[in-house]
Amino acid sequence: MSQLGIVINREFNVRVRKKSFIITTILVPLLIVAMMAVPTLLMLYSSTDTKVIAVIDESGVVAPQMESNDDVQFITIDQPLDEARADEERFGVLWIGSDILENSSSVKLYCNSSSSVMLEESIESRISKIVETEKLKAYNIDNLPEIMEAVKTRITLQTFRNDRDDSRSVSAGVSFAIGYALAFILYMFLLIYGQMVMTAVIEEKNSRVLDVLVTSVKPFQLMLGKILGVASVAVLQVVIWGVLIFGIGSLCMSAILPHVMSGEEVAQLAAYQSGTLDMSTVDAGNIEGLKTFATFTDIGYLAGVFCYLLLFLLGGYLFYSAMFAAVGASVDNITDAGQLTTPITIPIILALMIMFVVMKDPNSSLAFWFSIIPFTSPIVMMARIPAGIAVWEPLLSLAVLYISIAVMVWLASRIYRVGILMHGKKPTFKELYKWMKSNY
């Protein structure tokens, strides 16, 4: 055990003391928080010049109803199109054909500079509403605008869980977004840290350091120490990231909330989190945003998800890094490792694809079994957990995963003990199988 501790300590210290580790540990949380906060701040404080658009309406029905705002100002003109397009002082010219009521594509926008998706969608939406209103007028129905306004209805579905003592509705969209983000984090960690172990073994094997080490340390202890040493680095980094992201994120959230939400909406958020909010008093368009803010400010929920992330990250890493270490011990360079690592990376990529099945139905049989099978369970289960599955499912997945780790480490160690002393030839899969069965 003392020899194992020495190997773990060496692997941990070598990586933690690198400048790259310190820089990435500090910068990544800041970048993540910035990616979430900066777009909101830019929308709050950015100001754009009002775009002046001349309108040539040959139909005579659309231009009078085009309403301007702070972003765009519509000016109706009566002059030839070519002459209007020559005026570079305006942003552009909007031409509307005389057959707009029959031909929906009889609209053209001529710009003097680059346009934007939001501007074009805004113009399309305004003209569509005007044309629809004009078409309805042909039916000669009295008080038609009032009738249309009265029947206009936006349905907002509120989903509740019968298996939970919670009066708050849940959001499938928010749950999937969180699950996808967590699963993608696991995907990156499994590949990056697993290949880090493989690369370290190959480098030490090429320098013949391993040939010396095995004279005083058992190959199994050497492999396990290297795996656990890198695992401790990964866990430390994730913990630091979690603390920084939650800490900085909560400060940014408290600073942004007063600007993006009114006093009434902040009060509704507090009532929603306590389960006392009457959802009938909330505007239909604000319900999804309310659920999103409530989820990202629920410390208990985030802490629970983060604990699961640590457990599955550690388990997935130990499971895959054993295989990566065995491959590293079997070859002399990274190029030769490519073919042997393909069977290892395929399940990881497959797990990422299964997440779309989770989006469709997190409780489907396919999603369930792929979240239990240890080759895909770390990623798939993390995509399912935010959806609110039964507690026994992640516990069963963890139990199967950690039992499989013991089996995989034992199998990988049998390849490792032979491979570290082999030089000059890339083994085949058949030879690797013989190494696992050998007793020397």
Side-chain angles (χ1 to χ4, degrees), residues 156-162 166-172 272 291:
T156 302
L157 178 66
Q158 298 181 51
T159 307
F160 297 87
R161 295 286 295 268
N162 291 326
D166 193 347
S167 60
R168 298 179 300 177
S169 61
V170 296
S171 172
Y272 178 83
K291 294 178 183 178

Side-chain angles (χ1 to χ4, degrees), residues 61 193 358:
V61 297
Y193 279 92
V358 175

Side-chain angles (χ1 to χ4, degrees), residues 206 226 239 251 261 275 290 352 434:
N206 286 335
K226 189 173 293 293
V239 170
L251 292 175
M261 301 180 72
L290 186 67
L352 200 65
K434 290 182 179 180

Side-chain angles (χ1 to χ4, degrees), residues 51-324:
K51 295 178 175 60
V52 179
I53 298 179
V55 181
I56 300 176
D57 184 7
E58 295 184 357
S59 69
V61 297
V62 176
Q65 303 180 62
M66 293 290 285
E67 297 180 356
S68 303
N69 56 23
D70 294 337
D71 296 325
V72 59
Q73 180 182 1
F74 297 102
I75 300 176
T76 304
I77 62 173
D78 184 14
Q79 63 184 105
L81 177 60
D82 293 338
E83 183 180 335
R85 291 180 61 183
D87 188 349
E88 298 181 356
E89 293 183 0
R90 305 188 186 100
F91 174 78
V93 179
L94 176 64
W95 176 86
I96 301 171
S98 57
D99 59 342
I100 183 63
L101 298 181
E102 293 78 24
N103 183 8
S104 59
S105 62
S106 186
V107 180
K108 297 178 182 178
L109 177 64
Y110 300 91
C111 303
N112 291 321
S113 61
S114 58
S115 180
S116 67
V117 174
M118 294 182 65
L119 174 63
E120 293 175 6
E121 289 182 350
S122 175
I123 294 174
E124 289 176 353
S125 176
R126 297 181 194 200
I127 297 178
S128 296
K129 290 180 181 179
I130 294 171
V131 171
E132 289 172 1
T133 302
E134 292 298 320
K135 287 182 177 181
L136 287 171
K137 286 180 180 179
Y139 291 93
N140 296 321
I141 301 176
D142 294 334
N143 301 321
L144 182 60
E146 291 79 4
I147 295 173
M148 293 299 298
E149 189 64 30
V151 300
K152 187 184 295 184
T153 305
R154 177 175 177 177
I155 300 299
T156 302
L157 178 66
Q158 298 181 51
T159 307
F160 297 87
R161 295 286 295 268
N162 291 326
D163 55 349
R164 290 184 182 180
D165 185 18
D166 193 347
S167 60
R168 298 179 300 177
S169 61
V170 296
S171 172
V174 175
S175 298
F176 173 74
I178 295 175
Y180 188 91
L182 294 176
F184 192 78
I185 289 173
L186 269 169
Y187 167 79
M188 297 299 297
F189 262 83
L190 293 182
L191 288 179
I192 292 173
Y193 279 92
Q195 293 187 1
M196 184 184 296
V197 172
M198 181 184 70
T199 303
V201 173
I202 293 175
E203 290 176 351
E204 291 179 356
K205 182 180 178 180
N206 286 335
S207 63
R208 304 299 174 113
V209 172
L210 293 179
D211 294 358
V212 178
L213 288 177
V214 293
T215 60
S216 56
V217 182
K218 293 181 179 180
F220 176 77
Q221 292 177 322
L222 187 60
M223 186 193 77
L224 188 60
K226 189 173 293 293
I227 292 172
L228 293 177
V230 178
S232 60
V233 175
V235 170
L236 175 63
Q237 193 168 52
V238 171
V239 170
I240 294 174
W241 284 357
V243 173
L244 290 177
I245 290 173
F246 289 152
I248 300 174
S250 61
L251 292 175
C252 292
M253 189 71 71
S254 60
I256 292 174
L257 275 179
H259 298 282
V260 298
M261 301 180 72
S262 63
E264 180 183 357
E265 290 172 335
V266 172
Q268 289 176 342
L269 175 61
Y272 178 83
Q273 290 175 324
S274 63
T276 60
L277 178 64
D278 181 5
M279 298 300 289
S280 62
T281 62
V282 183
D283 182 70
N286 296 334
I287 291 179
E288 195 65 24
L290 186 67
K291 294 178 183 178
T292 303
F293 276 111
T295 301
F296 285 101
T297 53
D298 188 343
I299 302 301
Y301 170 80
L302 295 177
V305 171
F306 184 70
C307 289
Y308 276 123
L309 176 64
L310 279 180
L311 291 172
F312 279 103
L313 185 147
L314 179 61
Y317 162 79
L318 293 175
F319 184 79
Y320 275 99
S321 61
M323 292 184 278
F324 277 112

